[in-house]
Amino acid sequence: MNPLHWLDPGMKIKRWILLGIAGVFSTSIGIAYILKSFPLGKLRTFPLLFILLGMVLMVIALRQGFISLISCLGEGNEALESFPKSLSPYILKEKIKIKGPKIVVIGGGTGSSVLLRGLKKYTSNITAIVTVADDGGSSGKLREDLGMLPPGDIRSCILALADTEPTMEKLLQYRFKEGSLKGQSFGNLFIAAMNEITGNFEEAVRKTSDVLKVKGTVLPVTLEDIILYAELKNGEIVKGESQIPIVAKEKGQKIKRVSIEPSKVEPLQYGLKAIREADAIILGPGSLYTSIIPNLLVDGIGNEISQSKALKIYVSNIMTQSGETDGYSVGEHIEAIVKHAGNTQKPIIDYVIANNGEIPDYLIEKYKREDSSPVTLKEEEVSQSTYQYIIDNFVEIKKHYLRHDTDKVAKTIFQLIADEKLIWDKTRLLDYNYIKSHLREKNNKRNQS
């Protein structure tokens, strides 16, 4: 074998090995000079620069080399057969995530962030399209004081997709308890500072995602400043996302429709592209009128969803929301979404994931005190619906709060994609032997063809 073949392009690892060697060499020169000059009692700056440069080069080489190592393990790659078994399951998991289905989640707030934490275990190709209609709380203050888009829902989705240390997540979720910053989230301030540095909210979100090693992409639905309005059943108009549920509850009126001002706003083109290329588009869970529907009011979003070849899935809420969806059934949630999506050429929902799990009585009472009750699932809605219902127990209780069982919802979604899009079963992600066998089988078929 010609030893020069080692230099042929292939796994793209050799360049990083050489860069790492250069880093070691640079660091060694710096350390050697320091040791030589140290007795003289006079230390110059340039040896420290050599050491710093060397360390930077070694970190870059280590990081990029590992990325190249993961990416080289494609379908049928021979390296898969000889790679150490101790690392193979991890490498394969990351490789499969990189090659995983393209998922778009549309919404905002707690609902989207909970779902994203489950989805990221199976694919890295996730795009979260997030509402920017929030005008309350700490986000509202930053929006008013700095003239920026509200960062709160964006922050929640970034953290849900982030691959970061628990301490860093706690830091970014921390809310100040005293002084002029009382109630303000450190994560919101971080995004606000990044917005000031970059001068662009989209770039600020991207830079924040890079810092936190986000597995996927988080996008605001638009970069324009929008205000959410609601028309109640009695004809009264309520201004502001934060005021809508409060006024509706005070007046004892249900929401008839919501709208945005200005009425014509441009969506982010990257968001439209993600919808167009998606394998699955997920609406919800989350606040119906203040998190999910505002996204559909932005020009082109509803029609782009309908035109996409992706599976369109609605994940229904488990509980109603006071002042927004009091007494709503699953069908009434869907009806509101379809109505606000406009005259789309095709349906924007194919499948509905709904809960029928039992909720403990003590939690029913707890939520009842907050004017919230379980979202009902009516038999006639299911039997007469044009949508496919996937009904199961999706309830999880955390610290006496009801949440979706994010792992079960995620597995249900990926099984649905596997069945409908003829993509192999991603829910068996941890089965090394199954994955290895599948990759070999696909490679053999490709060679035969």
Side-chain angles (χ1 to χ4, degrees):
M1 178 184 289
N2 186 351
L4 293 179
H5 282 320
W6 189 81
L7 298 174
D8 291 342
M11 296 171 67
K12 299 181 181 179
I13 294 176
K14 295 181 285 292
R15 67 192 67 179
W16 305 121
I17 293 176
L18 293 174
L19 187 66
I21 292 172
V24 172
F25 185 71
S26 176
T27 304
S28 301
I29 291 175
I31 293 175
Y33 192 91
I34 289 174
L35 293 175
K36 181 180 179 181
S37 60
F38 185 77
L40 301 177
K42 187 176 181 180
L43 188 62
R44 296 184 180 180
T45 304
F46 78 87
L48 297 177
L49 294 177
F50 267 87
I51 293 173
L52 180 60
L53 175 63
M55 293 178 67
V56 169
L57 292 178
M58 285 189 287
V59 169
I60 293 173
L62 185 62
R63 182 179 184 276
Q64 294 301 124
F66 188 69
I67 290 173
S68 295
L69 190 60
I70 291 174
S71 64
C72 80
L73 293 177
E75 297 172 354
N77 195 306
E78 292 181 1
L80 181 65
E81 303 298 329
S82 59
F83 204 79
K85 291 293 181 70
S86 60
L87 290 180
S88 290
Y90 175 77
I91 296 293
L92 283 168
K93 280 172 60 180
E94 294 303 314
K95 177 62 181 176
I96 292 169
K97 287 181 186 179
I98 293 170
K99 296 289 187 180
K102 296 178 181 179
I103 310 291
V104 173
V105 177
I106 299 176
T110 304
S112 290
S113 62
V114 168
L115 180 61
L116 291 171
R117 290 180 188 276
L119 295 175
K120 75 174 183 180
K121 296 178 181 179
Y122 302 99
T123 181
S124 298
N125 296 315
I126 301 174
T127 301
I129 297 177
V130 185
T131 179
V132 288
D134 190 5
D135 65 354
S138 59
S139 286
K141 290 179 181 178
L142 289 174
R143 182 177 183 177
E144 182 179 352
D145 293 344
L146 302 179
M148 63 179 291
L149 292 176
D153 288 350
I154 296 280
R155 182 201 78 239
S156 296
C157 291
I158 286 176
L159 286 176
L161 291 176
D163 182 17
T164 189
E165 295 295 327
T167 302
M168 177 62 78
E169 182 169 350
K170 288 179 181 178
L171 175 64
L172 292 167
Q173 293 281 40
Y174 178 77
R175 290 187 182 274
F176 293 91
K177 298 175 182 178
E178 302 292 341
S180 59
L181 292 178
K182 184 177 180 180
Q184 192 60 257
S185 161
F186 180 80
N188 287 354
L189 295 176
F190 187 92
I191 296 175
M194 197 69 80
N195 184 61
E196 291 288 318
I197 292 170
T198 61
N200 179 283
F201 189 75
E202 180 186 359
E203 185 69 7
V205 172
R206 190 181 70 81
K207 291 288 187 183
T208 303
S209 299
D210 289 344
V211 169
L212 297 176
K213 297 184 289 186
V214 164
K215 299 290 183 67
T217 306
V218 180
L219 299 172
V221 67
T222 180
L223 293 178
E224 298 187 41
D225 190 24
I226 61 175
I227 300 173
L228 189 65
Y229 287 83
E231 180 185 350
L232 305 182
K233 291 287 186 181
N234 64 356
E236 184 174 350
I237 304 296
V238 184
K239 177 183 177 181
E241 179 266 348
S242 62
Q243 291 301 306
I244 290 171
I246 296 174
V247 175
K249 183 177 180 181
E250 288 177 351
K251 302 289 184 179
Q253 294 289 320
K254 287 192 173 184
I255 297 170
K256 184 178 180 180
R257 65 170 58 90
V258 292
S259 60
I260 56 174
E261 285 292 336
S263 58
K264 297 286 185 181
V265 293
E266 286 291 323
L268 219 62
Q269 291 303 310
Y270 288 115
L272 294 181
K273 184 174 183 290
I275 291 172
R276 209 171 293 130
E277 298 175 353
D279 292 307
I281 299 167
I282 304 168
L283 296 167
S287 300
L288 179 65
Y289 288 106
T290 54
S291 288
I292 300 171
I293 288 177
N295 294 292
L296 302 177
L297 301 177
V298 174
D299 277 2
I301 294 294
N303 194 55
E304 201 68 61
I305 294 172
S306 76
Q307 292 296 314
S308 175
K309 295 180 180 179
L311 299 181
K312 294 101 176 181
I313 304 167
Y314 171 60
V315 182
S316 176
N317 292 343
I318 295 174
M319 303 296 289
T320 62
Q321 187 168 351
S322 178
E324 277 199 50
T325 56
D326 301 88
Y328 270 41
S329 65
V330 174
E332 287 173 304
H333 280 77
I334 296 171
E335 183 182 348
I337 289 172
V338 172
K339 180 175 71 174
H340 284 84
N343 297 320
T344 57
Q345 297 179 15
K346 297 178 182 178
I348 66 164
I349 295 174
D350 298 320
Y351 291 87
V352 178
I353 294 178
N355 173 65
N356 68 350
E358 290 189 13
I359 300 171
D361 290 339
Y362 81 92
L363 282 176
I364 295 287
E365 289 300 317
K366 176 182 182 296
Y367 277 88
K368 188 176 181 180
R369 291 192 292 269
E370 300 171 6
D371 295 322
S372 179
S373 60
V375 174
T376 55
L377 186 62
K378 297 179 180 178
E379 186 177 341
E380 61 271 20
E381 289 177 349
V382 178
S383 60
Q384 299 173 16
S385 176
T386 58
Y387 313 114
Q388 295 288 324
Y389 274 76
I390 301 172
I391 303 169
D392 205 340
N393 179 8
F394 292 107
V395 171
E396 184 175 35
I397 301 171
K398 286 188 175 182
K399 298 179 180 179
H400 304 294
Y401 283 95
L402 290 171
R403 294 284 185 266
H404 281 88
D405 184 336
T406 180
D407 288 334
K408 189 170 183 177
V409 173
K411 287 181 179 180
T412 300
I413 289 170
F414 278 93
Q415 187 61 60
L416 187 60
I417 296 171
D419 293 341
E420 293 295 320
K421 303 287 284 186
L422 301 181
I423 297 173
W424 61 285
D425 188 359
K426 298 296 191 298
T427 61
R428 298 185 66 178
L429 191 63
L430 301 179
D431 188 340
Y432 168 75
N433 291 325
Y434 174 80
I435 294 167
K436 181 177 175 181
S437 172
H438 174 79
L439 294 178
R440 187 187 296 112
E441 181 182 342
K442 288 194 72 174
N443 186 52
N444 291 337
K445 288 181 179 178
R446 184 175 61 193
N447 291 336
Q448 290 173 5
S449 62

